[in-house]
Amino acid sequence: MAINSDVLVIGGGLAGLTSALKAAREGADVRLVSYKQSSLRHASGLVDLLGYTPDGEGPVTDPYAAMGDLHDAHPYKTVGVETVREAMGLFDDVTDYRGDHTDTNALVPTHGGTVKPTARYPTGAAAGLASDDRDVLLVGLESMVDFDAPHAAAHLEAAGVPFDVRGETIRFPGDLQADAKITRYAKLLDTNGEVAVRGRKKGARDALAERVNTVREKEARVGFPAILGDDHTDAVRAALEEKIGADVFEVPMGPPSLPGLRLEDRLFEALDESGASFETGNPVVDFDADGDTIETVYIEKNGAKIPNSADQYVLATGGLVGKGIESDRESVHEPIFDCHIEHGEDRYEWFDGDAFGDHPFASFGVETDETLRPLTASDSVEFENLRAAGSVLGGYDFAAEKSGSGVSIATGYVAGENAAAEAR
Amino acid sequence: MSDAQSPTDFDPVEPNTGEDFEPVDVFPDSNDFDLRPGADSCFKCSVCDTNCPVAEVDDDFPGPKFQGPEQWRLKQTDDDYEIDDSVMSCSNCMRCDNACPSGVPLSQMHNTARGEYVENQMSKTDLEYWRNRILSNYRLSASIASKVPRLATWGMNFGPARWLMEKTMGVTKERDFPDFATQTFREWWAERGGADASRRNAQQRREELGLDRNADKKVAYFHGCYSNYNTVDVAKAMVRVYEHYGYEVVAPEQKCSGTPMFANGMLEDARRHAEVNVSSMSDLVDQGYDAIASCTSCSMALRQEYPELFDIDGIEKVSSNTFEAVEYLRIHEDVKEDVQEAQVSGELAEEFAYHAPCHARNQGLERQSVELFRDLEGAGIEDVGESCSGISGTYGWKEEKYEKSMEIGEEMFDHMEHAEGEVGMTECPTCAMQMEHGTGYEIRHPLELLEAAIVE
């Protein structure tokens, strides 16, 4: 016996979540298993389609238009531009992200003071767009060294943004310890918890707004690092806007990331609503196959191997960073099904001598047929009931192109759709 | 290179450290407490910190990343470095384990650090030490109390006595001690005829199911202290559900799983109990039994904490053959289908507000009950969200932690009150205590609902 489903998705990132969601909406009985909590916790929460071309040109204005020029091995080419649009439609349907009103990339200021071309952004980042010409005040917190507001402001000015931007660093009210966790700030703001200001107890939202008011001049927009609540982020922002008298936005931060966490929550909630099952915390380590059909995969729990069977499987385990692809000194491999990954024999061919050069390893991953089934070295299908989605795919460099989220959503969508169609 | 091994055949032009050189092998092996395992895999992404329910409310708690990998590094650079006392504020919810993308065994590091702190730095004449020791040895108190259950239930909740306990021992007077059952599970089990009766029931049931009368279906039940002394109905439900599927149940000799002891750094106490548990369970595993627990902290201890902390004969075998009770049925039986075809009426025909205990999450079981019961006719189940209940075993019983414990639990209380049902459900007995304390709801265990659904 085993735990059964029609479609089993392995991986809980954007690609796995999208494929599970799509397959469930197509009527399949879906189960998603993920080794660890979703990698979305590490993500900025912005959803990019294509920010730069593979040749490094950009920022790209219209990502859909630019997809036509990509090389044929690129996952966007495999699934087709129209499918990318459909897949983004599913994403828009389950989130309250902004940016769906246009094909054009939005320009979102980052915590480093750069401007990132992105297709979708959380509501909380909306008031901060660099295409808006209202002046900006960036507020940093003494204890949060990841976001140096004056430095980010100077960078933005140097980048040529069409507004004045100023950075101020304040102390978060209540004198939290220097390395307080982002969740500590978020919880205090979510609950408007009490903090002590000069010996008097005050709600955290009010106290923070008061502190900002002492440094704000006439800026119409105020940006904070992304700590403005977890469960009640809209309410936190609204309360601050009212007390400060300006639009308030969040600047996406590096990991761990609250916007990423919120997106993770939202997508798992949508998955729950779709009737799918999911489990996190234990890795898939082994499988049984009958010829080229996968019959059962095994999840390892402290030495016990828990069998999970399905009709169709989706591999969405991530790339080199997410450990869906592993490498040692000899080779690069996909650890669960040992799908073929094309790479140079000599490991000195895997990278470029220049740190910012064109590194072959960045595009390592499985190659697939047009229905996203991984291919062997001789271009035959590895398993007839296995599809791959997201960063485990080869043929693109998401870090350089800023295309990671878009490829995950688009290929996840296609893998989920095909898996559901093939499932009994 | 000091005390590191020398690399062989080292060629600076073509970097090649040789086959034998293991660059991480620079510190000598030691049998002492070692916080090291996995420390080098930590790349400081801090995602563990976003999972820590204590760091979310406690300004003084530096979070799991500090307690684990960072303390280990401090120990390496400073011979006099002592374990930071904040490690005693970790509630051992073990959520950080599930968060780490690099597989750093954070809870293992916290457990060893806490053990070292209690062993070397905590005064054994301190009231706090004894308070923690008494709280973590709940089994002992419960076994005494169960001799006079009614008196104990009354006495433990007698106002003046509780005031005194708070003032002298630091055990919060805000909480109600759980009721003691008038008949323990083991008393019931013995009266019912023990393993022999269970074998007969199972054989009869296998015949009804059209199975081989002598089919090899047998489980060893690790009931834990709580379902023995307090929630006896859970243990009874577990036995009836398993017999319904044709399993023979045995209830071997057992002590506390050690969960409250790990959380209080009482590793020697925990080891004594673990030795008994592993010994009786490993004998049964050899005979073809699987170990089953109805409390998710107990199964967590047998599965993960034992092999991480102790080197006891047979421990790996027990660990890899231990399962949570409903999980085991999901793997081996068509329980999902049976539930879909069933319906409940009467006492358990309720809308349940379900909370997944942290220790169920860590076993990948956080969705199990919701997914199993969502198609059950006559009952409803709603997940009340991912927040920790905040009690974390003994943590919420400590006077100085009580308020933080309630602050952590606030989100769960809030979700419970917004849920449709006014009856709670969870696998964990202390989470149940906190749910009841925060909302006044009655709390049931999934096995009780499963029994009502499928056992006639």
Side-chain angles (χ1 to χ4, degrees):
Chain A
M1 292 292 283
I3 297 173
N4 293 309
S5 53
D6 295 339
V7 176
L8 184 77
V9 176
I10 308 168
L14 204 45
L17 282 161
T18 308
S19 60
L21 195 56
K22 177 62 181 165
R25 288 192 166 198
E26 295 290 305
D29 173 21
V30 177
R31 182 166 167 76
L32 178 146
V33 294
S34 166
Y35 176 23
K36 294 287 185 178
Q37 283 170 349
S38 175
S39 51
L40 283 166
R41 279 171 195 246
H42 305 258
S44 64
L46 300 179
V47 172
D48 317 319
L49 274 175
L50 190 66
Y52 294 85
T53 69
D55 300 330
E57 286 161 31
V60 165
T61 308
D62 179 345
Y64 295 104
M67 282 174 202
D69 299 331
L70 295 169
H71 57 85
D72 286 342
H74 198 290
Y76 280 141
K77 274 294 183 70
T78 311
V79 302
V81 177
E82 272 321 296
T83 312
V84 180
R85 272 183 207 278
E86 269 179 44
M88 292 306 289
L90 173 64
F91 178 84
D92 293 332
D93 191 33
V94 296
T95 64
D96 61 351
Y97 267 45
R98 303 279 187 89
D100 55 340
H101 60 291
T102 171
D103 279 357
T104 308
N105 272 329
L107 298 172
V108 179
T110 70
H111 66 288
T114 60
V115 174
K116 192 181 189 198
T118 192
R120 300 287 187 277
Y121 46 91
T123 314
L129 295 194
S131 47
D132 188 335
D133 62 7
R134 292 175 299 160
D135 291 349
V136 167
L137 170 67
L138 293 179
V139 176
L141 302 174
E142 272 177 15
S143 53
M144 289 190 74
V145 290
D146 307 14
F147 182 58
D148 180 335
H151 177 85
H155 258 254
L156 284 170
E157 295 239 279
V161 292
F163 48 84
D164 286 338
V165 49
R166 211 163 53 79
E168 291 275 3
T169 303
I170 61 165
R171 181 174 286 199
F172 193 90
D175 294 330
L176 308 189
Q177 64 169 350
D179 62 346
K181 310 303 164 205
I182 54 164
T183 46
R184 176 76 186 126
Y185 298 107
K187 176 98 173 180
L188 273 174
L189 292 168
D190 259 347
T191 56
N192 200 19
E194 281 186 344
V195 288
V197 180
R198 275 175 251 105
R200 285 180 45 218
K201 297 269 187 196
K202 266 192 185 158
R205 295 175 184 176
D206 314 84
L208 180 60
E210 279 169 29
R211 221 159 252 193
V212 170
N213 284 336
T214 63
V215 295
R216 186 171 83 96
E217 286 165 6
K218 283 187 187 118
E219 294 88 352
R221 308 186 274 167
V222 180
F224 291 88
I227 53 158
L228 304 182
D230 183 5
D231 289 332
H232 306 294
T233 176
D234 290 341
V236 172
R237 221 173 42 251
L240 292 175
E241 285 181 342
E242 194 197 317
K243 294 187 178 80
I244 296 173
D247 281 358
V248 163
F249 64 93
E250 284 187 319
V251 179
M253 301 288 291
S257 152
L258 279 166
L261 252 160
R262 296 175 199 136
L263 179 58
E264 176 193 349
D265 284 349
R266 179 58 209 125
L267 292 174
F268 273 100
E269 209 176 289
L271 196 57
D272 183 31
E273 286 158 11
S274 76
S277 306
F278 49 86
E279 148 174 0
T280 68
N282 300 288
V284 170
V285 293
D286 204 358
F287 70 102
D288 286 338
D290 177 12
D292 63 355
T293 306
I294 297 167
E295 298 209 306
T296 305
V297 300
Y298 294 92
I299 293 177
E300 214 238 40
K301 281 189 194 177
N302 304 104
K305 284 188 174 176
I306 315 288
N308 280 251
S309 288
D311 206 44
Q312 299 290 321
Y313 296 84
V314 176
L315 179 70
T317 42
L320 283 160
V321 177
K323 299 184 177 67
I325 295 172
E326 287 180 356
S327 65
D328 54 30
R329 285 165 173 261
E330 315 304 318
S331 68
V332 182
H333 57 279
E334 182 279 300
I336 299 178
F337 302 105
D338 201 22
C339 292
H340 172 70
I341 290 172
E342 188 73 36
H343 61 276
E345 207 144 291
D346 183 346
R347 65 188 162 95
Y348 286 89
E349 293 167 17
W350 300 353
F351 56 89
D352 191 274
D354 176 7
F356 293 100
D358 193 5
H359 294 284
F361 74 78
S363 305
F364 283 173
V366 299
E367 284 166 34
T368 69
D369 68 0
E370 67 285 356
T371 67
L372 296 177
R373 288 182 298 184
L375 297 174
T376 65
S378 56
D379 281 351
S380 59
V381 167
E382 292 261 15
F383 297 100
E384 55 92 8
N385 60 343
L386 176 69
R387 283 169 184 77
S391 319
V392 75
L393 296 170
Y396 74 117
D397 177 350
F398 69 83
E401 296 168 11
K402 309 279 177 242
S403 62
S405 308
V407 168
S408 289
I409 290 171
T411 57
Y413 181 89
V414 171
E417 185 172 48
N418 289 332
E422 295 285 325
R424 274 188 296 267
Chain B
M1 293 233 91
S2 68
D3 53 355
Q5 290 175 24
S6 296
T8 50
D9 304 328
F10 185 78
D11 177 355
V13 179
E14 187 79 3
N16 168 22
T17 55
E19 296 275 305
D20 304 331
F21 178 62
E22 186 53 60
V24 295
D25 226 13
V26 282
F27 299 103
D29 284 340
S30 156
N31 292 326
D32 295 343
F33 282 125
D34 185 5
L35 309 183
R36 177 145 211 234
D40 297 325
S41 300
C42 170
F43 61 86
K44 305 272 180 220
C45 71
S46 303
V47 165
C48 53
D49 290 339
T50 62
N51 270 261
C52 178
V54 178
E56 196 172 271
V57 300
D58 186 347
D59 286 333
D60 299 322
F61 186 64
K65 184 182 68 174
F66 171 80
Q67 303 298 348
E70 284 178 1
Q71 290 227 66
W72 184 80
R73 287 180 180 134
L74 290 168
K75 276 174 71 77
Q76 292 313 307
T77 50
D78 177 0
D79 287 343
D80 299 326
Y81 180 78
E82 294 204 315
I83 302 290
D84 193 77
D85 63 1
S86 63
V87 78
M88 296 306 285
S89 292
C90 160
S91 70
N92 202 33
C93 72
M94 304 170 84
R95 276 178 181 241
C96 41
D97 278 354
N98 195 9
C100 178
S102 286
V104 176
L106 287 144
S107 68
Q108 179 184 15
M109 301 175 97
H110 302 153
N111 274 328
T112 40
R114 205 159 34 231
E116 183 169 329
Y117 175 82
V118 171
E119 177 80 14
N120 300 333
Q121 290 162 242
M122 206 174 188
S123 161
K124 305 295 175 292
T125 52
D126 223 25
L127 262 179
E128 189 186 341
Y129 173 82
W130 286 102
R131 188 267 320 259
N132 291 356
R133 199 142 183 211
I134 290 168
L135 280 176
S136 61
N137 279 279
Y138 173 75
R139 186 179 185 278
L140 180 67
S141 329
S143 69
I144 297 166
S146 71
K147 304 278 188 289
V148 281
R150 288 193 186 87
L151 179 66
T153 304
W154 175 81
M156 293 299 257
N157 290 307
F158 178 57
R162 293 300 302 278
W163 178 84
L164 197 68
M165 274 170 82
E166 177 168 300
K167 289 294 163 222
T168 58
M169 301 289 294
V171 175
T172 178
K173 63 176 176 355
E174 302 292 333
R175 291 188 185 278
D176 296 328
F177 271 99
D179 290 351
F180 289 98
T182 48
Q183 186 187 37
T184 67
F185 167 69
R186 295 195 76 93
E187 286 163 3
W188 175 81
W189 176 251
E191 194 178 286
R192 185 175 181 258
D196 289 340
S198 185
R199 183 176 312 113
R200 285 194 300 276
N201 291 346
Q203 283 173 343
Q204 190 191 336
R205 185 63 192 153
R206 285 180 207 140
E207 277 176 0
E208 287 168 25
L209 292 168
L211 299 170
D212 176 5
R213 186 180 158 84
N214 295 312
D216 193 27
K217 295 179 86 170
K218 43 196 187 180
V219 295
Y221 181 28
F222 190 88
H223 48 68
C225 312
Y226 210 79
S227 65
N228 186 41
Y229 296 115
N230 303 93
T231 52
V232 176
D233 285 345
V234 173
K236 290 180 185 170
M238 142 79 213
V239 169
R240 289 180 188 133
V241 167
Y242 268 71
E243 288 177 356
H244 174 80
Y245 280 109
Y247 288 89
E248 303 170 24
V249 181
V250 293
E253 185 198 354
Q254 55 192 274
K255 299 255 182 188
C256 170
S257 68
T259 299
M261 298 158 188
F262 301 136
N264 285 288
M266 308 286 172
L267 293 190
E268 279 314 306
D269 286 354
R271 177 191 295 274
R272 267 200 320 281
H273 290 253
E275 278 167 356
V276 174
N277 297 333
V278 172
S279 157
S280 58
M281 286 295 171
S282 67
D283 285 350
L284 286 161
V285 168
D286 283 339
Q287 296 167 41
Y289 287 84
D290 285 312
I292 303 299
S294 51
C295 160
T296 42
S297 293
C298 293
S299 51
M300 191 77 203
L302 268 62
R303 280 179 142 168
Q304 183 177 328
E305 284 158 317
Y306 283 11
E308 278 182 352
L309 297 171
F310 308 131
D311 186 14
I312 301 173
D313 216 23
I315 210 157
E316 303 287 344
K317 193 168 57 192
V318 172
S319 162
S320 60
N321 286 286
T322 299
F323 299 85
E324 189 274 334
V326 176
E327 173 189 33
Y328 190 79
L329 294 175
R330 280 174 83 216
I331 299 167
H332 297 282
E333 306 295 334
D334 264 335
V335 60
K336 190 170 181 185
E337 207 168 300
D338 295 343
V339 168
Q340 276 168 357
E341 285 164 11
Q343 57 176 42
V344 289
S345 55
E347 210 196 334
L348 283 135
E350 289 282 356
E351 291 290 327
F352 292 98
Y354 173 77
H355 163 75
C358 296
H359 290 178
R361 280 175 190 282
N362 291 330
Q363 296 174 68
L365 304 175
E366 75 270 33
R367 296 273 305 166
Q368 176 171 278
S369 294
V370 176
E371 289 168 4
L372 183 62
F373 294 123
R374 66 181 165 196
D375 299 321
L376 175 61
E377 197 185 327
I381 185 160
E382 186 177 340
D383 193 338
V384 294
E386 60 180 353
S387 106
C388 171
S389 78
I391 188 167
S392 276
T394 58
Y395 177 87
W397 281 91
K398 296 172 182 172
E399 191 223 339
E400 74 278 14
K401 301 281 191 274
Y402 173 75
E403 271 179 37
K404 287 184 187 111
S405 152
M406 294 302 281
E407 215 178 311
I408 296 170
E410 200 176 286
E411 199 176 313
M412 180 191 71
F413 305 143
D414 193 47
H415 284 157
M416 282 179 75
E417 269 150 22
H418 284 92
E420 207 169 311
E422 299 202 342
V423 179
M425 176 169 283
T426 191
E427 287 90 348
C428 171
T430 51
C431 288
M433 226 181 257
Q434 177 86 331
M435 291 162 83
E436 190 182 348
H437 183 65
T439 61
Y441 293 1
E442 183 194 359
I443 316 297
R444 308 304 290 255
H445 189 287
L447 278 168
E448 295 180 85
L449 183 55
L450 191 57
E451 183 197 11
I454 63 174
V455 183
E456 35 298 83

